[in-house]
Amino acid sequence: MSGEIEPDDLREELETIKEAMGLQERYSGATSMWLLFGLAVPVASALSQYVFTERLAPWLHAVVWAGVLGVGFAIWYAVAGKEEGEVGIGAGARPNLFVQFGLVYFTVIPVQAAVGPFLQDLGYVEEALFVQSLIVVFVGLAYGVLGSSLAAYRVRLRDRAVFYVGTAWMVALGVAIPQVDFLRAWPHATFGGVYLVYALGTYAVLSRT
């Protein structure tokens, strides 16, 4: 009949519509996460800056970040994260974004272990700056992986692009930290401040329909 819609045509049209959807429409909780972590990251960064400035034990950085981000993630998951199971453990055949981010980020640990013997002659500040630079670069790379993987969830390119922006500025900052005097003195505070601006800007972009 002349008025019938072919199943293949309907399927293609639906796929096209899905491709045009943003992160807000598909996973609203993922958008709200930017506000929460836009606050949590600067708080953790400020505490890490204190640890660095006072030359306290380096392992305190891990305690600070695990504590602040752990509380932040728990709050987000309780409020909105349960709606986002499709991008986590229940991702099915699509990539698990939490696993991907974790794998890239925790690559920092074996890299540090491998280069550790070459850092023994460095002072407290130099070694701390090296580790901070390494972490910022790897976090930036993880953001790029997330941006690419979100294509599998049919999130539009405009929304995925904010993750690539994160990759660009984090990698640039990580490279600049040991080379710029101001960044050598305030590496954590600078990261926290820039991340706050980035998170708020990202939320504004992702909230647009």
Side-chain angles (χ1 to χ4, degrees), residues 128-209:
L129 290 174
F130 171 78
V131 173
Q132 171 69 0
S133 297
L134 199 64
I135 291 174
V136 171
V137 168
F138 272 89
V139 170
L141 295 177
Y143 272 63
V145 171
L146 294 185
S148 177
S149 296
L150 281 172
Y153 292 87
R154 302 193 179 282
V155 173
R156 63 191 171 198
L157 178 59
R158 188 191 78 187
D159 288 17
R160 289 186 279 121
V162 298
F163 291 88
Y164 301 136
V165 171
T167 296
W169 76 259
M170 288 185 209
V171 170
L173 178 62
V175 172
I177 282 174
Q179 304 181 56
V180 179
D181 289 341
F182 177 83
L183 298 179
R184 288 174 63 89
W186 302 97
H188 302 279
T190 301
F191 176 78
V194 177
Y195 193 92
L196 173 61
V197 175
Y198 168 64
L200 294 178
T202 298
Y203 178 79
V205 171
L206 297 181
S207 297
R208 292 161 51 197
T209 57

Side-chain angles (χ1 to χ4, degrees), residues 3-62:
E4 292 182 352
I5 300 176
E6 293 294 331
D8 290 340
D9 294 337
L10 180 59
R11 190 178 301 110
E12 183 177 351
E13 184 175 348
L14 289 174
E15 293 299 321
T16 301
I17 293 174
K18 288 180 179 179
E19 290 286 356
M21 293 181 71
L23 201 60
Q24 171 71 11
E25 291 88 355
R26 298 189 67 84
Y27 312 107
S28 59
T31 302
S32 63
M33 183 177 8
W34 288 95
L35 289 179
L36 183 59
F37 282 86
L39 175 63
V41 169
V43 169
S45 295
L47 294 174
S48 264
Q49 182 66 48
Y50 178 79
V51 171
F52 173 77
T53 302
E54 297 299 320
R55 300 194 180 189
L56 303 179
W59 56 265
L60 287 173
H61 290 293

Side-chain angles (χ1 to χ4, degrees), residues 55-134:
R55 300 194 180 189
L56 303 179
W59 56 265
L60 287 173
H61 290 293
V63 174
V64 165
W65 284 88
V68 175
L69 294 190
V71 170
F73 183 83
I75 293 174
W76 170 77
Y77 188 80
V79 174
K82 293 179 180 180
E83 302 173 4
E84 313 308 320
E86 191 176 352
V87 300
I89 302 300
R94 286 173 290 189
N96 185 309
L97 303 186
F98 296 120
V99 170
Q100 285 192 325
F101 187 92
L103 286 175
V104 176
Y105 175 76
F106 285 109
T107 302
V108 171
I109 296 176
V111 170
Q112 283 185 249
V115 302
F118 304 100
L119 305 179
Q120 294 177 356
D121 294 332
L122 296 181
Y124 178 92
V125 172
E126 289 74 16
E127 183 173 354
L129 290 174
F130 171 78
V131 173
Q132 171 69 0
S133 297
L134 199 64

